[in-house]
Amino acid sequence: AVMQPIEIPDELARLIDAVKNTGRPYVVGGSVRDWLLGQTPHDFDIEVFGTDYEKLRNVLAKFGPTEVVGKSFGVVKVRIGENEYDFALPRRERKTGSGHRGFEVEPDPSLTLAEAAARRDFTINAIAWDPLSGEFIDPTGGRADLERKCLRHVGPAFSEDPLRVLRGFQLASRFDLTMAPETIELCRSIHATFAELPTERIWHEWEKWAAQSIVPSRGIEVLEATGWIEHFPQLAALKDCPQDPEWHPEGDVLTHTKLCLDSLVRIPAWQKASRNHRALLTFAVLIHDFGKAVTTEVAEKRGRLRTISPGHDKAGAEMVGPFLDSIGAPKAFAKFIRPLVRNHMIHIHAADSLKPATVRRLAARLSPATIEDLAILMTADLRGRRPNDFSKHPLVNTLLEAAREMEIEKNAPKPLILGRDLIDHGLEPGPHFGKILKKLFEAQLEGDFTDKEEGLAYLDELLRERNEEND
């Protein structure tokens, strides 16, 4: 079948037009893959054959500021307005040491397209497009693998860079791919090289998985099949962790977690969220049942022996920080996710007593996350069961409606009375301020006052009582 030529931005077309006088440019990598999948490419990488570094840079410098990524790498970045384009010379790589950076890279303009493709990671990323002829060049069978939804390594050089296993983990989830058996075997054989990876590189791949997945469970399956799940012990512990078949007929905790993740990315609110917000919610769902691995037991409940996990929400909240630190997540992630994990069982624990004060207290406890975020997590959790018994727990919608009425679904209630109000009341600042403000906020959450005027009247009453006690 004749493929439609890739639509590239006009400014990139002008750059390619100029470069073709000094070498042979091809569009390569992820942008070609995305186009073949029917998506709009965003990051364009151009590989230029048959020229040298200085000539390439001189041509590109006429269009905008160029940044030299390193002469040894043979990459020139050119910036036009908001956009940045990478132009690279084809290069040979030689493994010289351990880890993701242990390579000697040497640009080689005489390489063929097939030789250049051989150093790429997966066949789906090794397809090139010729902007001059409109032809797709596919030396490793990447297009057939894309059609089969297969993630296959290009060649034996794959094993020289352990980061490629984690790249496979996020690509499988982002494009709904299954890893080829021979690639799984190769990944298993380099299991020990995980230790060579710096955490910032590990985070880069996990963040892509969390923010961009269309079937997040595919990536978890890659980790399981390759044995790399063992490098994330809190996640590995969910495998074979039993659940009561009446409540969780789908199987163990890892199976439930994968179903929850796949349900999450189908929720419209997740899809509409910003990239960072999507990642936060995905990790909240991934981690929400980590506590089951350390709390699950068989005990009598409602007249018969059951598998239960009492306090798994509290135990899980304590595991949020260590797990996220181990994969290099920013500190703000744990701060957001911990209260969500700690409160994700609220629809069970507070099912009978959803008073306004309960909702306000919950909103305050969840901050910086919100009741809306918790509702997304609980929805994914309830839909991650087979059969789907979401209707048995109407509390999620009740909770959201109550929070919306109070206008606290998107943010926590803020204290109506502040330190400056105490000063205006003639109080001297000091350690007692904290205690008074805490008492006032508690009363506000309880519903004892609902606006500033009522709050100041409540403060007057509080101070009167205090003075009477001191007399």
Side-chain angles (χ1 to χ4, degrees), residues 382-457:
L382 291 163
R383 288 182 181 165
R385 299 175 183 192
R386 295 293 178 267
N388 188 329
D389 61 352
F390 191 55
S391 59
K392 289 183 192 170
H393 288 285
L395 185 91
V396 177
N397 288 332
T398 315
L399 175 64
L400 256 183
E401 281 160 24
R404 277 184 188 138
E405 271 177 42
M406 293 183 238
E407 296 181 354
I408 53 169
E409 83 277 16
K410 288 184 192 293
N411 32 38
K414 295 196 170 36
L416 291 166
I417 307 300
L418 304 169
R420 61 173 173 265
D421 298 308
L422 303 191
I423 294 168
D424 290 346
H425 262 61
L427 287 169
E428 286 290 318
H432 59 292
F433 261 39
K435 287 180 190 167
I436 296 171
L437 291 170
K438 191 179 175 193
K439 209 166 189 179
L440 286 163
F441 192 46
E442 285 286 320
Q444 178 187 326
L445 293 176
E446 215 29 71
D448 293 342
F449 58 86
T450 55
D451 60 31
K452 183 138 188 167
E453 201 178 328
E454 287 178 4
L456 291 171

Side-chain angles (χ1 to χ4, degrees), residues 184-442:
I184 289 169
E185 282 312 305
L186 192 57
C187 294
R188 291 186 81 87
S189 74
I190 58 168
H191 182 273
T193 58
F194 174 79
E196 300 170 4
L197 292 174
T199 33
E200 65 269 17
R201 301 302 301 158
I202 294 168
W203 171 247
H204 188 64
E205 304 307 325
W206 270 101
E207 188 279 334
K208 282 188 173 180
W209 170 82
Q212 296 181 283
S213 286
I214 58 168
V215 189
S217 63
R218 287 276 183 246
I220 309 295
E221 283 161 7
V222 164
L223 295 180
E224 286 179 85
T226 57
W228 279 55
I229 196 168
E230 291 160 25
H231 298 306
F232 312 102
Q234 299 94 330
L235 183 58
L238 305 185
K239 197 166 171 56
D240 302 323
C241 181
Q243 300 184 110
D244 193 280
E246 187 181 330
W247 296 321
H248 284 282
E250 72 277 0
D252 68 12
V253 184
L254 188 61
T255 304
H256 166 64
T257 302
K258 289 190 287 189
L259 290 167
C260 294
L261 287 163
D262 290 349
S263 296
L264 169 73
V265 301
R266 292 195 289 269
I267 296 171
W270 182 89
Q271 294 172 347
K272 288 183 199 137
S274 68
R275 179 179 179 129
N276 193 56
H277 200 169
R278 287 200 306 272
L280 287 163
L281 291 167
T282 305
F283 279 113
V285 171
L286 177 76
I287 296 168
H288 82 283
D289 274 349
F290 274 12
K292 283 186 176 175
V294 294
T295 58
T296 296
E297 59 184 30
V298 175
E300 193 174 317
K301 189 163 184 177
R302 295 180 197 160
R304 69 176 178 84
L305 284 179
R306 290 179 176 273
T307 303
I308 57 170
S309 311
H312 77 272
D313 42 1
K314 184 169 182 276
E318 286 163 17
M319 297 164 88
V320 171
F323 172 72
L324 289 172
D325 283 347
S326 77
I327 61 169
K331 291 291 177 200
F333 270 64
K335 204 174 172 192
F336 180 96
I337 291 162
R338 201 177 289 113
L340 288 173
V341 173
R342 180 70 183 87
N343 291 283
H344 82 273
M345 295 295 288
I346 192 85
H347 58 296
I348 307 294
H349 302 328
D352 306 321
S353 58
L354 207 55
K355 303 185 187 88
T358 310
V359 179
R360 279 192 292 267
R361 286 181 184 282
L362 175 63
R365 276 203 312 277
L366 286 171
S367 182
T370 67
I371 285 182
E372 208 166 62
D373 296 321
L374 182 65
I376 292 169
L377 166 57
M378 293 195 301
T379 302
D381 187 12
L382 291 163
R383 288 182 181 165
R385 299 175 183 192
R386 295 293 178 267
N388 188 329
D389 61 352
F390 191 55
S391 59
K392 289 183 192 170
H393 288 285
L395 185 91
V396 177
N397 288 332
T398 315
L399 175 64
L400 256 183
E401 281 160 24
R404 277 184 188 138
E405 271 177 42
M406 293 183 238
E407 296 181 354
I408 53 169
E409 83 277 16
K410 288 184 192 293
N411 32 38
K414 295 196 170 36
L416 291 166
I417 307 300
L418 304 169
R420 61 173 173 265
D421 298 308
L422 303 191
I423 294 168
D424 290 346
H425 262 61
L427 287 169
E428 286 290 318
H432 59 292
F433 261 39
K435 287 180 190 167
I436 296 171
L437 291 170
K438 191 179 175 193
K439 209 166 189 179
L440 286 163
F441 192 46
E442 285 286 320

Side-chain angles (χ1 to χ4, degrees), residues 130-149:
D130 183 347
L132 307 185
S133 71
E135 183 190 357
F136 287 87
I137 300 107
D138 182 14
T140 64
R143 275 171 67 184
D145 282 341
L146 266 185
E147 278 161 28
R148 282 196 297 263
K149 289 187 169 291

